[in-house]
Amino acid sequence: DAGVTQSPTHLIKTRGQQVTLRCSPKSGHDTVSWYQQALGQGPQFIFQYYEEEERQRGNFPDRFSGHQFPNYSSELNVNALLLGDSALYLCASSLFDRGVDQPQHFGDGTRLSIL
Amino acid sequence: RKEVEQDPGPFNVPEGATVAFNCTYSNSASQSFFWYRQDCRKEPKLLMSVYSSGNEDGRFTAQLNRASQYISLLIRDSKLSDSATYLCVVFEDSGYALNFGKGTSLLVTP
């Protein structure tokens, strides 16, 4: 039973560039959430996708965008990269169950470094 | 004020010790709570859910006090392998996003 998989594992970019991170949810899950974790901090919610729509968004600028595909996989895109975007980007998947908060399961993350 | 606040740590304890972590949350409408464990440079992993009645999983006990908006995690008979960062997590009342505390670092020494 494959867990949440993310690619790539590491990425180095320069300021102003654009990046795309990818996530495949755990088998049987239909919801994908993205988080940013800076060094020494807890993960911060970026947004969540369900049924190919952005369902909720955290306090992140429009430079951060995403997509969910019919097979439930997801992409996170970040434009005009800033030094402050250097972080571990985590994808989490869950199964949407109305009325019950399902715990989210995380992938290994993509470590993004901006030079 | 941050929505989820945890003991700053780090906690350095000897093997076999009992250690307790505390966490407070600000949104009284929150309904679901979890403890996650994160090893260095790894992803957070679900340790346990936290229920109003309290729950236990082996050496780990989690408690929730809704009136005080307070969550705790107790680890008994600490093992070297318990060394990690423990993240207190609260589901937003929308039920979609997880709010994480900053984490408390635990180091169990021989």
Side-chain angles (χ1 to χ4, degrees), chain B:
Chain B
R1 180 185 167 190
K2 206 163 163 22
E3 293 197 39
V4 181
E5 299 207 43
Q6 293 185 241
D7 283 350
F11 284 64
N12 291 346
V13 303
E15 258 185 303
T18 295
V19 61
F21 302 138
N22 304 315
C23 167
T24 57
Y25 60 96
S26 60
N27 187 348
S28 60
S30 299
Q31 295 294 321
S32 298
F33 311 89
F34 307 95
W35 283 100
Y36 277 72
R37 169 197 168 125
Q38 187 171 27
D39 293 292
C40 188
R41 301 180 74 82
K42 298 281 195 178
E43 78 279 17
K45 289 186 177 172
L46 179 65
L47 180 65
M48 58 199 302
S49 302
V50 186
Y51 304 118
S52 296
S53 53
N55 48 303
E56 190 173 307
D57 182 3
R59 298 181 294 109
F60 299 82
T61 301
Q63 296 276 355
L64 168 65
N65 183 322
R66 287 189 185 272
S68 303
Q69 294 178 209
Y70 171 94
I71 305 162
S72 66
L73 176 69
L74 184 77
I75 305 176
R76 291 181 299 279
D77 188 23
S78 299
K79 311 289 185 194
L80 296 176
S81 58
D82 294 334
S83 298
T85 295
Y86 290 84
L87 297 158
C88 178
V89 185
V90 176
F91 240 121
E92 279 193 2
D93 53 1
S94 68
Y96 299 151
L98 296 178
N99 275 323
F100 284 82
K102 207 170 171 178
T104 301
S105 175
L106 172 65
L107 178 62
V108 181
T109 55

Side-chain angles (χ1 to χ4, degrees), chain A residues 26-93:
Chain A
K26 182 178 163 74
S27 178
H29 286 183
D30 57 7
T31 302
V32 173
S33 304
W34 287 92
Y35 293 82
Q36 180 196 67
Q37 187 174 24
L39 205 59
Q41 303 293 318
Q44 297 293 310
F45 175 73
I46 302 175
F47 41 53
Q48 184 179 90
Y49 277 84
Y50 173 69
E51 292 188 337
E52 302 178 50
E53 300 266 338
E54 183 184 286
R55 183 155 69 175
Q56 186 177 350
R57 187 178 186 90
N59 189 24
F60 278 80
D62 292 345
R63 298 187 297 109
F64 290 77
S65 63
H67 191 77
Q68 185 180 34
F69 299 94
N71 67 353
Y72 308 119
S73 67
S74 177
E75 286 181 352
L76 163 66
N77 299 293
V78 187
N79 294 323
L81 287 165
L82 304 173
L83 292 177
D85 295 331
S86 295
L88 178 67
Y89 288 84
L90 294 160
C91 171
S93 74

Side-chain angles (χ1 to χ4, degrees), chain A residues 4 23-26 29 31-33 91-95 103-106:
Chain A
V4 181
C23 172
S24 291
K26 182 178 163 74
H29 286 183
T31 302
V32 173
S33 304
C91 171
S93 74
S94 56
L95 177 64
Q104 297 176 7
H105 298 266
F106 286 82

Side-chain angles (χ1 to χ4, degrees), chain A residues 6-38:
Chain A
Q6 291 187 242
S7 63
T9 53
H10 294 85
L11 205 48
I12 299 174
K13 291 284 189 179
T14 57
R15 280 179 297 176
Q17 285 189 310
Q18 177 265 343
V19 69
T20 298
L21 310 182
R22 296 178 175 82
C23 172
S24 291
K26 182 178 163 74
S27 178
H29 286 183
D30 57 7
T31 302
V32 173
S33 304
W34 287 92
Y35 293 82
Q36 180 196 67
Q37 187 174 24

